[in-house]
Amino acid sequence: MNEAENLTERANALQELIASQQTLLLSTASVNSVPDLSYAPFVRDQAGCFYIFVSELAAHTAHLVDNRQASVMFIRPESESRNLFARERAVFNCKVREIGRDGQIYTAQLLALQDKFGEVVSVLRSLSDFHLFALCPESGRYVAGFGQAYTINIKDGTLSPFSNKQN
């Protein structure tokens, strides 16, 4: 297999990893730079943005309102990993945008969430403390295992070997 075929195979594995997950790990920070780690169910649009619907009762919601940057991670479950020191994972650094309740995007993404997660979304939608956020990747890295780190081209999903010189 040549390098181009290998990179295509890895890019397909990355998409499979994301598609296999129903939740994303969410890293946010307060206005005082205190980090927080949580998770949220998500849907993804054609442009690659992740949409989450979260409550004001969660610290990450205030962080997303106050700090328009977040990171998300998808990671292969421990039970499916051969080596826990080299679990397959993807991390995206994202720009955050709150989606207003009166727009078409809000309606479309809430329907997508309801299709994926069921009637619980209808209940949550009726609660005024829930907010819809778009997390749009600006950069990303994919690790397939030891010595297998790649930079993700956000525009087309292709991969290139990771180099510390890129960041």
Side-chain angles (χ1 to χ4, degrees), residues 25-29 52 60 63-64 67-72 91-96 135-139:
L25 296 175
L26 178 63
S27 176
T28 59
I52 60 172
H60 57 241
H63 298 169
L64 293 168
N67 180 357
R68 298 301 180 152
Q69 291 293 129
S71 291
V72 300
V91 176
F92 296 93
N93 296 316
C94 300
K95 181 178 179 182
V96 176
L135 310 173
C136 298
E138 295 182 311
S139 65

Side-chain angles (χ1 to χ4, degrees), residues 102-129:
D102 56 350
Q104 291 179 336
I105 294 173
Y106 184 90
T107 302
Q109 295 308 323
L110 264 286
L111 285 173
L113 283 160
Q114 187 168 329
D115 287 346
K116 187 172 182 178
F117 298 106
E119 285 303 312
V120 67
V121 176
S122 291
V123 174
L124 298 177
R125 189 176 189 169
S126 70
L127 303 174
S128 63
D129 71 311

